[in-house]
Amino acid sequence: MIDATEHADWAAQFWKAKEIWDEPQFLVADVCAITGATPKAIEHFVNPARGLVRLHGTWVNPGTGKRRMFTGGQVLMIAAAYKMNHIGFPQKFSATLAETIERRAKNLIFGLEREKQNYTIATYPMKGADDWALKVLYEGMPEEPKLPIAVQLLQVDRLIAEVRSQLMAIVAGDELPDFSIPDPAPEPNPYSPNSNFFRAWDKDEQGRWIYVGLNFEETQELLALQGSRIEDGELIAPDERRHKTNEERSRYLELHDRHEIARLKIVGNEVAGEG
């Protein structure tokens, strides 16, 4: 049984959450800060003629000279549409996607669907139709979803939580939380000296990179025959393959085989040592 204090706390949280999603209080600049979109891109998404995100309320299109406002739910819809379009989801299906996500956020306020944890939407183009499927996924689904091998995934509950946190920061006048994810560093080229994954490289007495089994001059010759070069310890591949003469092909095979025999000997010794 819930006592009066617990009920009061619940009611306060309910109205605070409802105000965030339903009260028109956010400006175009706020939408840009949350989504990373430009004002021009926002204008494109909310234009009623395009129907990319269906926003209702006189505050959205107030007329010339008046300040455009958005509810938190509308900011969430724009954020969902913009983020999905950024990774290739067709704009013409954005409205349905955005409304599904806003509905999820509103349902959570009323305590609905809370048993559906990690709410996610999978989207993919349907076969033989100019349409995209939207399938809701969540933990503990009664049936395993039937999905193609390749789909796009939108982590809906994560998006709702991040946007809500940012909206609350704007209302409080606090610094906006940054949820951006840095791009991963490129994987090292396993064929490059800096990686030396295949144990193909060594250094000579002058500290120059050489193929194992070859000296520096032979290494340079083999690289030239491959059309490759070494820059700062990275193997730069040729832009296009050059046709070799019979003589060049014979020399290439001679150097390559000598190098490969020496490389495999090193790998074999390492394996034997581990054994």
Side-chain angles (χ1 to χ4, degrees), residues 62-131:
T64 305
K66 296 182 180 180
R67 179 174 289 185
R68 172 175 279 162
M69 304 287 287
F70 300 93
T71 67
Q74 290 171 335
V75 177
L76 176 66
M77 294 170 73
I78 296 168
Y82 183 77
K83 287 180 182 297
M84 287 300 288
N85 177 246
H86 189 65
I87 61 170
F89 183 74
Q91 287 188 358
K92 62 181 178 178
F93 304 123
S94 294
T96 301
L97 178 80
E99 288 164 5
T100 300
I101 293 166
E102 188 200 29
R103 186 162 55 249
R104 168 67 175 174
K106 297 289 185 67
N107 284 341
L108 290 175
I109 295 177
F110 292 96
L112 304 175
E113 297 185 339
R114 287 187 177 176
E115 74 282 358
K116 298 178 179 179
Q117 297 294 313
N118 293 326
Y119 197 94
T120 301
I121 290 179
T123 73
Y124 55 89
M126 298 173 64
K127 293 184 293 185
D130 184 22
D131 200 358

Side-chain angles (χ1 to χ4, degrees), residues 199-211:
R199 303 298 185 265
W201 298 93
D202 198 357
K203 283 188 175 182
D204 64 9
E205 294 179 354
Q206 284 74 42
R208 300 173 296 187
W209 286 112
I210 57 172
Y211 276 123

Side-chain angles (χ1 to χ4, degrees), residues 21 24 26-28 31 35 41-62 68-81 94-99 102 106:
W21 295 129
F26 302 102
L27 305 176
V28 172
V31 183
T35 63
I42 300 299
E43 179 69 31
H44 174 79
F45 272 95
V46 304
N47 188 327
R50 294 190 174 93
L52 302 181
V53 180
R54 292 186 285 261
L55 304 182
H56 304 289
T58 55
W59 53 83
V60 177
N61 292 292
R68 172 175 279 162
M69 304 287 287
F70 300 93
T71 67
Q74 290 171 335
V75 177
L76 176 66
M77 294 170 73
I78 296 168
S94 294
T96 301
L97 178 80
E99 288 164 5
E102 188 200 29
K106 297 289 185 67

